[in-house]
Amino acid sequence: MPRKAEGSVDLSRGIWRARVTCGKRRPSFALPWATDKAQARTRLPTLAGLAEELGRARPAPSTETADAILGHVAAAPPELLDASADVARKLVTAGRAEDAPRLLDRLVEGGSAKHAEAARGAAELIAQGAAIRAGSVGAIRTWGDLAYAWLSGELTKAFPLLVRPKRSTNAERSRLKRILPIIGHVPIVDFEREHADFALATLATTVRARSTLSRFASLIQRVVHLATLTCLRRTNPLPRGWVPRVKDRKQRHHLYPDELARVYQAGTVDVDARVLYAFLATEGTRVSEAVSRNVTHVDLERGALRVDSNKTDMPRTWRLRPDVVVMLRAYLELRQRRGETITPSSPLFINPRGRRRSVARPEDRVRWSLRIMARRMRGDLVRAGIDRPELFETTETNDDVDVHGLRRTFVTLFLAAGAPDEYIRLRTGHTSNEIERYRIGARSAAELDLDVPPAVDVGIPEVAAVAQELGLRRPPLPPGGRTAFDPMPREEEPASGSAPSSRSPSNGQSGGREAFESSAETSTSAARRALGGRSVSAKKSRIRLADRARPSCRRRRDRGCGSGTSTSRADRRTARRSGPCRRRGR
């Protein structure tokens, strides 16, 4: 019986080298860590066994790939030998030998136990993905296997029409580390509700926040739901509503226009931060959308901003407020005067160090640490002299202000000013009924007679000085038509003798408390007249009776009541909205 070849070692130019048989070749590989022949020979069995597996691998790896794998394993330090060999064997056995050199290179560069564990986990995920792509979904046995296949993206590659890709998996991976020791070993076909309840009960002993438990439950339910989508099991044992609901009753506040003006004028706050705050409060974009914009995304000639990549995958373009256009022009000129070279690929907003305002993780496209930004923003508010207690307190019913509060400020103040929903949705990117959450705050802002955010081109002293020196002027707003709403503050509206503002009562869009009182008075008086002077009750029967008693809008207009007869369609629409014949004051 022939003896199994184990290879040989020799000393060449002061470096020990190992020579093993790989197919019909006998390549040699450097052993830089070896100091004598005995140490060098300890690596031969591992290299010989790995070379034999490479010869049996199907599909057969190329010569360059095989030499690269053997070279990395040969050069690995003794403390990383086991990890390097395990990673190479897993990938070669799974038919993914071409991924082994890159992973081994990162393992050797890291050189720590943490990097070794990460490389082993990555190799396991790649091996599972290879089995899934080959159609062998039976390779996924347990709940943990399915979770890893989903987060690695291999499940999406196998079922692209059923499983949507995830942009970021950092939060899910951190939660998965706490769930796997509890239910990660449970076979996916035997997974029942008792396992999920046991996992939540175990996590509840260390997790206090109900919202955090809800996120753990959502992850468990999502993985089980993927098992039914991919036909790993027939039914989902977790019923609808199993995830505990979290009723967020905390009140979140917005900034007042005078507080925004104080922040803009605060010399103790960095000017780059003030420009970003002004843009978010005036245009209402998401923080990630603002900080990911480059100079090429804004058209300063036409005053338009383009947002192509965002959270909801809804590209949109809108016209910036005139003072924002002037602010951006002056801000870019200010940065050039500080020695920065502005190119089309330069970030639109930077930090004091001249870099893009981002603390992005390598695997994320735009990943912000919102807690860090919120802490810095609250510090800037204190430096600006703002001491409203509810902005800085966190209790069971109140939440302190964060960067999202600037977006909340935009929606609340513009709703209170009478801005159409389409105007707000185009800038915020809301695709659902999220705007309805701001209407209570908007009604309060209207009763307080709060205006829209103040002008930013004259509010920031450094920007105003540059704008005045360059002679920058605001681009005019299109008169009426599709942009009838005037987004400028009231002190910026035309003087007497000019065209009335689109937010004035003369245009039929009475804003604030006056609109509420007039509509309520109209509805109440009409109902009382219909009921013969009796008091108006909240019952639906009496309200219906009042509606029946009042003539229709068209009949009242024909009789000459209300706003009179109108000749144009726009005038008739305005009369129906603002005249005394509106039903129930809506």
Side-chain angles (χ1 to χ4, degrees):
M1 182 176 180
R3 183 174 59 88
K4 184 177 180 180
E6 294 182 357
S8 59
V9 297
D10 56 352
L11 186 64
S12 175
R13 297 181 182 181
I15 298 178
W16 288 96
R17 304 183 67 87
R19 188 178 298 275
V20 295
T21 301
C22 186
K24 297 182 179 180
R25 302 180 301 113
R26 281 183 59 83
S28 63
F29 307 96
L31 306 172
W33 50 270
T35 57
D36 53 18
K37 186 175 182 179
Q39 282 188 348
R41 290 189 63 84
T42 58
R43 191 62 57 95
L44 286 178
T46 303
L47 293 176
L50 186 57
E52 186 177 357
E53 292 183 11
L54 285 169
R56 296 195 304 262
R58 294 293 181 271
S62 62
T63 303
E64 294 78 12
T65 301
D67 292 345
I69 294 175
L70 292 173
H72 279 91
V73 176
E79 61 271 13
L80 298 178
L81 174 60
D82 294 335
S84 301
D86 291 342
V87 169
R89 288 194 185 97
K90 287 180 180 179
L91 295 180
V92 170
T93 305
R96 296 293 296 271
E98 66 276 5
D99 295 330
R102 175 174 51 87
L103 200 57
L104 291 173
D105 189 30
R106 293 183 180 180
L107 170 59
V108 174
E109 286 181 359
S112 64
K114 181 179 179 180
H115 289 83
E117 188 66 25
R120 282 174 170 167
E124 184 68 24
L125 291 177
I126 294 175
Q128 290 181 1
I132 293 175
R133 281 203 302 272
S136 177
V137 292
I140 298 179
R141 302 294 184 184
T142 63
W143 185 93
D145 296 341
L146 181 59
Y148 271 125
W150 171 48
L151 296 181
S152 64
E154 299 298 337
L155 202 62
T156 303
K157 295 178 181 178
F159 305 96
L161 299 180
L162 298 177
V163 184
R164 296 181 58 184
K166 288 187 64 64
R167 292 182 177 178
S168 176
T169 60
N170 296 307
E172 286 78 6
R173 287 181 183 274
S174 62
R175 300 186 191 111
L176 192 61
K177 292 180 181 178
R178 305 183 63 175
I179 299 178
L180 284 179
I182 307 174
I183 59 175
H185 63 282
V186 179
I188 192 63
V189 294
D190 299 333
F191 193 90
E192 299 296 338
R193 179 175 177 176
E194 289 75 12
H195 299 99
D197 293 339
F198 176 74
L200 278 189
T202 305
L203 292 170
T205 59
T206 56
V207 178
R208 297 182 179 179
R210 184 179 177 87
S211 59
T212 307
L213 280 177
S214 177
R215 295 187 181 96
F216 280 108
S218 299
L219 178 58
I220 296 174
Q221 187 183 48
R222 176 60 177 167
V223 174
V224 179
H225 179 63
L226 289 175
T228 59
L229 286 180
T230 55
C231 300
L232 292 177
R233 57 178 302 137
R234 294 184 177 180
T235 59
N236 189 342
L238 303 181
R240 180 176 300 179
W242 176 81
V243 177
R245 293 186 177 181
V246 179
K247 294 183 179 180
D248 190 2
R249 299 180 179 177
K250 287 189 176 182
Q251 186 177 6
R252 294 176 173 84
H253 303 272
H254 59 85
L255 297 179
Y256 294 155
D258 60 317
E259 294 174 339
L260 290 174
R262 294 166 65 181
V263 173
Y264 298 164
Q265 299 173 2
T268 56
V269 181
D270 180 66
V271 63
D272 300 297
R274 281 181 282 159
V275 170
L276 178 61
Y277 297 158
F279 180 83
L280 294 176
T282 309
E283 295 300 328
T285 62
R286 299 182 179 91
V287 182
S288 58
E289 295 174 350
V291 301
S292 61
R293 296 304 93 194
N294 296 333
V295 177
T296 187
H297 290 129
V298 59
D299 186 355
L300 295 178
E301 296 296 331
R302 298 176 176 84
L305 180 69
R306 173 170 54 90
V307 176
D308 46 5
S309 59
N310 51 71
K311 174 182 176 182
T312 56
D313 294 329
M314 187 181 70
R316 59 193 193 277
T317 303
W318 69 90
R319 183 184 180 91
L320 296 172
R321 214 170 73 166
D323 57 326
V324 176
V325 178
V326 176
M327 179 193 71
L328 293 179
R329 284 178 176 270
Y331 177 57
L332 294 177
E333 177 64 24
L334 180 63
R335 286 165 55 180
Q336 285 183 341
R337 294 183 180 184
R338 294 188 303 193
E340 182 182 353
T341 302
I342 302 297
T343 62
S345 61
S346 300
L348 191 58
F349 302 101
I350 60 174
N351 57 20
R353 294 176 294 178
R355 302 177 182 177
R356 186 185 296 273
R357 283 185 168 269
S358 175
V359 286
R361 298 176 180 175
E363 62 271 14
D364 290 347
R365 180 171 53 182
V366 178
R367 179 68 179 178
W368 272 73
S369 177
L370 296 178
R371 293 182 180 179
I372 296 177
M373 290 194 63
R375 185 166 59 250
R376 292 176 180 174
M377 177 182 167
R378 288 190 289 269
D380 292 340
L381 293 180
V382 173
R383 283 186 286 272
I386 298 175
D387 55 356
R388 188 148 55 104
E390 56 265 28
L391 297 179
F392 307 96
E393 295 178 353
T394 302
T395 61
E396 294 182 356
T397 58
N398 187 79
D399 202 358
D400 53 4
V401 70
D402 53 5
V403 186
H404 189 77
L406 298 172
R407 180 176 167 91
R408 187 180 305 110
T409 300
F410 166 82
V411 179
T412 303
L413 296 183
F414 274 84
L415 279 178
D421 289 357
E422 292 78 9
Y423 179 91
I424 298 175
R425 289 180 187 275
L426 183 60
R427 286 150 180 80
T428 59
H430 285 136
T431 57
S432 59
N433 295 327
E434 296 178 5
I435 295 182
E436 302 298 327
R437 301 169 55 186
Y438 299 95
R439 295 203 182 274
I440 296 179
R443 178 56 59 88
S444 301
E447 292 184 355
L448 294 175
D449 198 21
L450 298 181
D451 200 5
V452 297
V456 296
D457 56 346
V458 296
I460 303 177
E462 296 86 346
V463 172
V466 176
Q468 184 177 5
E469 181 179 349
L470 297 179
L472 300 178
R473 296 183 178 180
R474 301 174 184 173
L477 286 171
R482 291 170 296 177
T483 57
F485 175 74
D486 184 5
M488 295 303 298
R490 280 180 295 203
E491 60 268 14
E492 301 289 341
E493 293 177 0
S496 60
S498 303
S501 171
S502 62
R503 286 191 280 126
S504 61
S506 60
N507 281 9
Q509 293 183 358
S510 301
R513 182 171 49 188
E514 293 80 8
F516 172 73
E517 292 177 350
S518 61
S519 63
E521 181 181 358
T522 301
S523 176
T524 304
S525 58
R528 285 180 176 178
R529 288 196 304 269
L531 294 175
R534 292 175 295 175
S535 61
V536 180
S537 175
K539 294 183 179 180
K540 295 182 179 180
S541 59
R542 295 191 179 184
I543 292 178
R544 293 195 188 100
L545 179 61
D547 287 338
R548 295 194 195 101
R550 295 177 59 207
S552 65
C553 299
R554 188 178 300 276
R555 288 164 55 193
R556 289 177 61 86
R557 186 169 63 248
D558 295 339
R559 295 176 185 177
C561 304
S563 57
T565 58
S566 302
T567 57
S568 65
R569 181 179 299 179
D571 293 339
R572 291 197 301 270
R573 186 184 300 110
T574 303
R576 287 196 299 268
R577 290 179 178 176
S578 60
C581 60
R582 283 185 67 189
R583 294 190 176 183
R584 305 186 205 172
R586 286 184 182 176

